[in-house]
């Protein structure tokens, strides 16, 4: 029998073939994570009444999801600020380098120019 399942990791809906009832494991074709679903007599089949089979996460998967949400990646603005800071620092160093070169050039005796 065919059932429509929504992945709890990526919210992608896909259709699976289930040969039997009970707790079955499927792999999401979108994110590749394994999920387990309980399919019983009351579960609507694909093409039947509207609805999704709820895929439940194991305790370990729940902990991984929680840890992933707690880790905040560097925001786009932080990357942009770092880029501009390094760029301005580079420009300042180039200007200072030209100033030092000009000063050293001005110290040379007139005959060596």
């Amino acid at each position: 029998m065919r059932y429509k399942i929504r992945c709890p990791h990526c919210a992608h809906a896909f259709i699976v073939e289930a040969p039997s009832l009970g707790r079955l494991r499927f792999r999401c074709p979108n994110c590749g994570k394994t999920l387990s679903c309980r399919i019983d007599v009351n579960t609507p089949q694909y093409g039947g009444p509207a609805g999704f089979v709820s895929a439940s996460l194991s305790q370990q998967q729940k902990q991984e999801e929680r840890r992933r949400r707690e880790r905040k990646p560097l925001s786009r603005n932080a990357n942009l600020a770092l880029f501009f800071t390094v760029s301005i620092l580079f420009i300042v160093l180039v200007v200072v380098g030209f100033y030092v070169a000009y000063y050293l050039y001005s110290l040379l005796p007139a005959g060596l120019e």
Side-chain angles (χ1 to χ4, degrees):
M1 290 182 254
R2 296 171 53 150
Y3 298 95
K4 192 168 188 178
I5 296 179
R6 184 175 303 274
C7 177
H9 301 285
C10 65
H12 178 73
F14 59 98
I15 299 168
V16 296
E17 283 283 333
S20 63
L21 299 177
R23 184 167 286 293
L24 302 170
R25 298 183 75 103
F26 301 104
R27 185 170 299 277
C28 176
N30 189 41
C31 67
K33 297 212 175 173
T34 304
L35 45 118
S36 60
C37 301
R38 178 174 298 283
I39 297 176
D40 57 12
V41 178
N42 299 328
T43 305
Q45 293 182 21
Y46 180 69
F52 290 97
V53 176
S54 62
S56 61
L57 298 176
S58 69
Q59 197 66 8
Q60 181 182 5
Q61 289 172 330
K62 286 179 184 177
Q63 288 174 353
E64 289 173 6
E65 287 291 322
R66 195 176 308 121
R67 276 190 225 119
R68 190 172 338 145
R69 273 190 238 113
E70 288 172 359
R71 276 185 259 136
K72 291 189 176 181
L74 228 63
S75 71
R76 231 172 142 189
N77 292 336
N79 288 338
L80 198 58
L82 181 65
F83 171 75
F84 280 115
T85 303
V86 171
S87 298
I88 289 172
L89 182 63
F90 176 75
I91 291 170
V92 168
L93 287 175
V94 168
V95 169
V96 167
F98 278 128
Y99 178 75
V100 169
Y102 175 74
Y103 179 75
L104 291 176
Y105 180 74
S106 66
L107 292 178
L108 289 175
L112 294 177
E113 293 179 11

